[in-house]
Amino acid sequence: MSRLRAALPLLLLVIAGVVLFASGALDRLNPEQLVAHQTEMHAQIAANPWLARLAYIGLLTLAMATGIPGTVIIIFAGGFAFGVVEGTTYSSVGLTLGSLILFLASRYAFGAGSRHPPALVAKLHHGFEQHPVSYTLFLRFVPVAPFGLITVCLAWLRCPLWLFVGATWLGGTVALIFETSIGAGLGHALRESDRIGINLFMHREVLLPLGAIALLALVPLLIGHFTRRRRQPQGGTGG
């Protein structure tokens, strides 16, 4: 019974995520829907500026807290609706708050972490124990796994709260800059062509942040390559 009580907050978040995903609310944020209703959307934002911004932050917070797929659609919509600077700012708040809720619920559910950890956590454990700060920053800056999954893994690893919040805000915001830029760029491109197609991704406003995210995804491979080279024994020095 105590285990069920400890897991209850996490279970409620999972249920909320399922309900949110099944409701189809995220479908209204896809680029075609945004373009089709952009005049109405911007009019509502102008009429209720604070409510619109709080609603956006609340939606992204809920999505991040539940760990559901498709949160990037919300971030794109933020860039489309508010622009790069405002969209990144609001998304950063929602991402950090939502991740913190998921982290606390997961850590409460896991307790002391005495149960057998998931396979991904077991792989991360050794590196985290050796260098917790650099390892946490690496996991947040580099997209080695879904954001929510890394949050759960860090909770199991008993990552210090200050380190989790700092790394989540910093690493998440870096990725958000590029993702929000894609949303703003898609909005600009769709206003010109008014239809979804491969040509949309050839616009500079979309292509540049996409390229930046692709380079960010290559970071783990580069780090692994240089790490292996450093660990190789020096040859040719025999006597």
Side-chain angles (χ1 to χ4, degrees):
M1 191 66 180
S2 60
R3 286 190 176 183
L4 179 60
R5 185 166 56 249
L8 184 59
L10 186 59
L11 290 175
L12 291 176
L13 288 177
V14 172
I15 293 172
V18 172
V19 171
L20 177 61
F21 190 77
S23 69
L26 299 184
D27 296 337
R28 302 176 184 176
L29 300 179
N30 69 63
E32 285 183 315
Q33 288 293 321
L34 291 175
V35 170
H37 302 94
Q38 60 178 315
T39 302
E40 178 185 352
M41 178 190 67
H42 286 297
Q44 290 178 348
I45 292 174
N48 304 282
W50 288 109
L51 180 61
R53 286 158 173 80
L54 289 175
Y56 173 75
I57 293 173
L59 177 61
L60 185 57
T61 297
L62 177 61
M64 294 303 303
T66 59
I68 62 171
T71 52
V72 69
I73 297 297
I74 303 176
I75 296 169
F76 286 169
F80 183 94
F82 303 112
V84 176
V85 176
E86 277 196 87
T88 301
T89 301
Y90 306 143
S91 294
S92 179
V93 174
L95 179 143
T96 304
L97 287 177
S99 298
L100 178 60
I101 293 171
L102 179 59
F103 176 80
L104 293 176
S106 300
R107 194 159 74 170
Y108 184 63
F110 298 151
S114 57
R115 278 152 277 178
H116 186 67
L120 179 60
V121 179
K123 292 180 180 179
L124 298 177
H125 184 266
H126 178 71
F128 181 83
E129 287 292 323
Q130 296 295 319
H131 308 284
V133 175
S134 58
Y135 214 72
T136 301
L137 288 171
F138 171 79
L139 291 175
R140 274 315 191 205
F141 271 98
V142 181
V144 295
F147 208 85
L149 179 58
I150 292 298
T151 295
V152 175
C153 291
L154 289 172
W156 194 296
L157 290 169
R158 311 300 291 178
C159 177
L161 183 60
W162 67 268
L163 177 57
F164 174 82
V165 173
T168 297
W169 173 79
L170 187 60
T173 301
V174 170
L176 283 174
I177 293 173
F178 302 126
E179 293 169 353
T180 306
S181 298
I182 292 174
L186 281 174
H188 176 78
L190 282 168
R191 282 190 288 270
E192 292 184 353
S193 63
D194 205 33
R195 58 184 299 182
I196 299 291
I198 191 63
N199 290 334
L200 287 178
F201 297 94
M202 304 312 295
H203 285 253
R204 183 185 64 179
E205 294 86 352
V206 180
L207 193 60
L208 290 179
L210 274 176
I213 290 179
L215 290 176
L216 192 63
L218 291 176
V219 171
L221 298 177
L222 296 174
I223 292 177
H225 173 72
F226 286 114
T227 301
R228 285 192 299 270
R229 288 191 61 181
R230 288 183 60 184
R231 289 178 178 175
Q232 287 177 354
Q234 297 292 330
T237 60

